[in-house]
Amino acid sequence: MNPAVTVATRIVKGACPHDCPDTCALRITVEGERVIKVQGQADHPSTHGALCTKVSRYPERTYHPERLLQPLKRISAKTEAPRFVPVSWDEALDDIAARLRAIAARNPEAILPYSYAGTMGLLQGEGMAARFFNKLGASRLERTICASAGAAALNATYGNRVGMHLPFFAESRLILIWGSNSIASNLHFWTYANKAKREGAKLICIDPRKTETADKCHQHIALLPGTDGALALGLMHELIQHDWLDHDYLGRHVEGWEELRVKALAWPPERVAEVCGISADEVRGLARDYGQRNALEAPAAIRLNYGMQRVRGGGNAVRLIALLPCLTGAWRHRAGGLLLSSSGWFAAYKNTAALDRPELLAGRQPRSINMSTIGDDLLRESSADFGPQVEALIVYNSNPVAVAPESPKVVRGFQRADLFTVVLEHFMTDTADLADYVLPATTQLEHLDVHTSYGHTDVLINHPAVAPLGEAKPNTQIFRELAARMGFTEPCFAESDEQLARQAFTAEIDFEALAAQGWQSLPLKEAPFAEGGFFTPSGKAQAGGADHVPNYESAQSAPELARRFPLAMISPPARNFLNSSFVNVKSLRDIEGEPLLEIHADDAAARGRADGGLVRVFNERGSYHCTARISERARPGVVNGLGIWWRKLGPRGSNVNEVTHQRLTDLGQAPSFYDCLVEVEPAGA
């Protein structure tokens, strides 16, 4: 017998790349040249050794049997079932460069990049890609699809996307979890909230859906979608009436308070109850909990998340909620205040211009196209207002055919025979199915990257754990090689990933220490706004102009539309998917089972629906099919279309975005996914 062969095992430090506030530090176990386990780093303060179900199965994603491992070229029409043939990198890149050069010679703005947060890494995200598109002079993409309404609101109110620090939620005595299913989408915040709960804190969940997080809170307030701003004004009404205000903080650190005060006094609990679909006593009780705890010097905190800003008035709603801790002086405590995003804290430490190289534009100011209206924009002809028709689309770190609103139009745009589409991907997604070329990209286990976070205040590094599988290449390398074929000779296009990583941050972030430890915390005050000092020009929080903005589609704002489509629909993520990522990981899809519509028993009975039946969800924009699940997670009048399934994995080849619209939010020009009226009926044959 041969003696047993010992296979070397090593540990690599990494970072989770996905669009999640936790940005976990990873402990990657490699046996030989294969990753066998992905865990959380125990010594990273917010990860503390724990990972979500999705990322703990990351090896299954990287070694998936359907992983793209060589370039593919389309040989079928885009209106037919997709057929591709393998080609060499040289053939693919030579042809792509030739096509782009020809279009750019006419007008480079006819070329559009389309990307988002398939990776949040600064290198594999926009590092080399931004240089490429700046040099080319391509159209710019307004990256709005997730968070820009909330970001604009924080910028308008606090002067930046900043908030309280994650660990101090453990010391709060009241936590409002507003528009967040934290157990599913912000696991490590939940750890701190649960610690506070064990030590006597009260937890209140505010969400149209009775989420898994609501199950674990002391109270759930199930308001109607898009009415969060009205609820915030109602809370302010009660804070004023009962004088649960910190007058000193308001006087010294808030501008526009008198204007806001007048607006709030017009929102008594009875009016709020009618608009929000809750009881006046719920408004009074919530205000009492929030106001009195601050008056007693017991810190109250708000964990706000992005679901509630995906409606027409989402930006103003965030502004109003963000002003609540200013009224009560909650910011005086390190365990008081609000957190929606921490991304602004990194601004002083990031060398964005060093990565993006805006000087490559050479003074040009290309047009901008909003990624949330890609369905309309791909169908536009050239015009003086719009500019040139989009002739080429380079998609990376995104799956727009599945995730963009009003997908029937998105599909028609991608099916244009005269649109040249290149997709950098790991798998044959709905978008890759409509590409002319699909280029195999590396996963997080195979490349170098550096990360910031929007849920905590640590910088992280991701070391490559294994060599790229097959012929896969990092995004950075793909754009390097494409730049060379385009004739771009600037030295910045030859810089390595390590050189990019060393340029990403200012000197306060020691790269060698970061590389060794895996993470580095920013040096910040524990209670950042205890004495004001907001990032606005005056240093004061800005209250002027904030007001409740009703939905585009609701019984109150569009009664005729609501008579035809009487159910409000939100489309929160399925627990085991992240946007459209992980949908093709079999073990996770097996847990989810099938595309579901959660519907309240009363609404199901009125439509003759039994639990488990196939239904058609529709409005004037389109329809999709899924299984109805009669559930207490849905409140009367609201259905929950859990997403985002790949279209081709859903019944009859569609998903929830068949019925969403492309109208934009009040601030930030973001999509209004949760501002949507539908009807539900039994599915036909």
Side-chain angles (χ1 to χ4, degrees):
M1 295 178 63
N2 294 328
V5 177
T6 302
V7 179
T9 299
R10 55 193 172 89
I11 303 298
V12 177
K13 294 180 177 179
C16 177
H18 290 289
D19 188 1
C20 166
D22 290 25
T23 317
C24 293
L26 304 181
R27 184 179 190 271
I28 303 164
T29 303
V30 182
E31 188 175 86
E33 293 303 319
R34 187 179 179 90
V35 173
I36 61 170
K37 187 184 298 183
V38 175
Q39 301 165 288
Q41 281 193 45
D43 61 347
H44 182 236
S46 64
T47 304
H48 44 71
L51 290 182
C52 68
T53 303
K54 299 179 283 288
V55 177
S56 65
R57 303 187 189 201
Y58 210 82
E60 186 177 345
R61 176 176 169 81
T62 294
Y63 297 111
H64 196 291
E66 296 173 358
R67 173 84 186 275
L68 287 167
L69 297 177
Q70 60 189 130
L72 300 176
K73 180 179 180 178
R74 180 177 213 92
I75 58 170
S76 60
K78 292 179 182 177
T79 53
E80 299 173 351
R83 288 181 291 124
F84 292 84
V85 294
V87 294
S88 69
W89 272 105
D90 284 340
E91 180 181 343
L93 293 177
D94 286 346
D95 191 20
I96 292 167
R99 297 284 294 271
L100 295 182
R101 279 198 304 270
I103 296 170
R106 295 191 295 273
N107 192 330
E109 292 183 23
I111 301 169
L112 177 68
Y114 194 103
S115 68
Y116 199 66
T119 173
M120 300 287 286
L122 301 187
L123 276 57
Q124 309 305 333
E126 300 306 323
M128 188 62 70
R131 296 178 180 187
F132 178 84
F133 291 112
N134 281 340
K135 174 64 177 178
L136 187 61
S139 289
R140 292 174 171 175
L141 184 73
E142 296 175 27
R143 293 177 170 86
T144 61
I145 203 164
C146 179
S148 63
L154 289 184
N155 289 339
T157 309
Y158 296 161
N160 210 332
R161 299 179 302 280
V162 289
M164 61 183 288
H165 304 316
L166 179 66
F168 301 135
F169 278 95
E171 303 170 11
S172 303
R173 308 312 298 154
L174 172 73
I175 304 177
L176 307 186
I177 303 176
W178 202 320
S180 177
N181 186 9
S182 305
I183 289 176
S185 62
N186 194 187
L187 177 64
H188 296 86
F189 157 75
W190 177 252
T191 302
Y192 291 110
N194 203 33
K195 180 179 179 183
K197 180 184 177 184
R198 290 196 301 269
E199 296 180 3
K202 184 173 184 178
L203 273 56
I204 301 175
C205 179
I206 304 170
D207 198 303
R209 181 175 182 255
K210 191 175 187 293
T211 62
E212 296 87 347
T213 303
D215 292 341
K216 302 295 184 181
C217 290
H218 296 94
Q219 183 182 3
H220 173 222
I221 298 177
L223 77 176
L224 289 168
T227 63
D228 305 81
L231 179 56
L233 284 165
L235 298 182
M236 292 179 186
H237 178 281
E238 294 299 281
L239 295 176
I240 295 166
Q241 292 287 9
H242 295 279
D243 199 27
W244 294 324
L245 300 171
D246 187 327
H247 295 282
D248 176 68
Y249 197 93
L250 278 168
R252 293 197 296 131
H253 305 308
V254 179
E255 285 184 342
W257 163 235
E258 285 306 317
E259 175 192 332
L260 180 60
R261 183 178 184 276
V262 171
K263 292 176 182 174
L265 288 174
W267 285 88
E270 290 74 18
R271 181 186 179 191
V272 176
E274 182 179 359
V275 170
C276 296
I278 58 178
S279 72
D281 284 344
E282 285 178 296
V283 181
R284 294 188 186 97
L286 180 60
R288 185 183 309 111
D289 280 330
Y290 188 71
Q292 288 190 342
R293 272 180 168 78
N294 280 286
L296 296 171
E297 297 297 309
I302 301 173
R303 181 58 172 109
L304 192 60
N305 216 335
Y306 287 105
M308 51 74 57
Q309 48 99 73
R310 295 188 179 120
V311 293
R312 178 191 180 192
N316 266 278
V318 170
R319 288 205 66 203
L320 291 166
I321 297 166
L323 287 162
L324 288 170
C326 299
L327 271 63
T328 60
W331 282 117
R332 295 188 187 277
H333 307 270
R334 73 177 191 176
L338 173 141
L339 177 62
L340 171 61
S341 174
S342 61
S343 61
W345 290 119
F346 296 92
Y349 303 93
K350 288 170 65 175
N351 275 330
T352 303
L355 285 182
D356 294 355
R357 299 297 179 96
E359 70 274 11
L360 293 168
L361 283 165
R364 295 168 295 180
Q365 293 294 324
R367 67 170 174 189
S368 291
I369 292 179
N370 192 322
M371 70 187 307
S372 299
T373 58
I374 191 67
D376 281 339
D377 291 334
L378 287 181
L379 297 174
R380 295 187 197 277
E381 301 289 340
S382 298
S383 69
D385 290 337
F386 180 63
Q389 183 184 43
V390 176
E391 297 183 48
L393 193 63
I394 314 299
V395 180
Y396 53 104
N397 303 330
S398 188
N399 182 12
V401 174
V403 305
E406 201 168 353
S407 57
K409 288 185 175 180
V410 181
V411 171
R412 290 204 303 274
F414 271 83
Q415 286 179 332
R416 280 175 39 204
D418 61 344
L419 177 69
F420 180 62
T421 302
V422 179
V423 175
L424 284 60
E425 252 301 350
H426 304 137
F427 301 102
M428 290 303 295
T429 63
D430 292 330
T431 304
D433 281 346
L434 291 170
D436 292 283
Y437 280 97
V438 185
L439 305 180
T442 47
T443 72
Q444 189 77 343
L445 300 181
E446 302 162 294
H447 56 230
L448 177 69
D449 218 330
V450 289
H451 293 258
T452 58
S453 174
Y454 63 92
H456 59 69
T457 52
D458 296 340
V459 173
L460 293 91
I461 191 168
N462 183 79
H463 294 288
V466 291
L469 273 63
E471 298 178 32
K473 296 186 180 188
N475 289 352
T476 47
Q477 184 62 21
I478 295 172
F479 282 109
R480 277 189 203 98
E481 295 185 20
L482 195 53
R485 284 168 168 81
M486 296 289 292
F488 300 167
T489 59
E490 287 81 357
C492 67
F493 289 108
E495 289 177 343
S496 68
D497 280 8
E498 182 175 333
Q499 287 174 303
L500 292 175
R502 289 180 179 273
Q503 294 172 32
F505 300 106
T506 61
E508 288 86 352
I509 305 299
D510 185 307
F511 183 80
E512 303 301 338
L514 175 65
Q517 181 172 256
W519 55 274
Q520 184 173 335
S521 298
L522 301 183
L524 301 170
K525 294 179 181 178
E526 290 186 349
F529 306 121
E531 295 299 326
F534 293 95
F535 289 88
T536 59
S538 67
K540 297 182 179 183
Q542 300 297 302
D547 204 352
H548 170 59
V549 177
N551 278 4
Y552 289 110
E553 299 188 1
S554 71
Q556 295 173 346
S557 61
E560 175 55 34
L561 186 69
R563 277 190 281 275
R564 291 187 289 142
F565 307 111
L567 296 171
M569 188 193 76
I570 60 174
S571 44
R575 182 170 182 173
N576 292 285
F577 302 155
L578 200 160
N579 300 320
S580 72
S581 296
F582 297 99
V583 179
N584 66 322
V585 174
K586 186 177 185 303
S587 64
L588 296 173
R589 195 167 72 248
D590 287 346
I591 297 171
E592 290 298 329
E594 58 189 339
L596 292 178
L597 182 84
E598 295 173 341
I599 186 169
H600 189 272
D602 293 347
D603 294 324
R607 290 158 179 81
R609 295 312 304 144
D611 188 57
L614 190 68
V615 294
R616 174 178 175 254
V617 184
F618 66 97
N619 56 26
E620 57 194 7
R621 290 178 291 274
S623 66
Y624 80 102
H625 292 79
C626 61
T627 298
R629 176 74 70 236
I630 297 174
S631 173
E632 293 184 354
R633 298 208 180 281
R635 60 154 289 160
V638 180
V639 291
N640 309 320
L642 303 184
I644 302 174
W645 285 75
W646 291 4
R647 291 166 52 86
K648 62 185 175 183
L649 295 178
R652 307 188 188 180
S654 61
N655 73 9
V656 70
N657 279 318
E658 291 282 321
V659 296
T660 55
H661 59 73
Q662 295 179 75
R663 285 173 287 186
L664 303 175
T665 55
D666 52 350
L667 304 176
Q669 298 292 287
S672 304
F673 286 114
Y674 296 0
D675 185 341
C676 179
L677 290 178
V678 301
E679 181 56 290
V680 176
E681 66 180 13

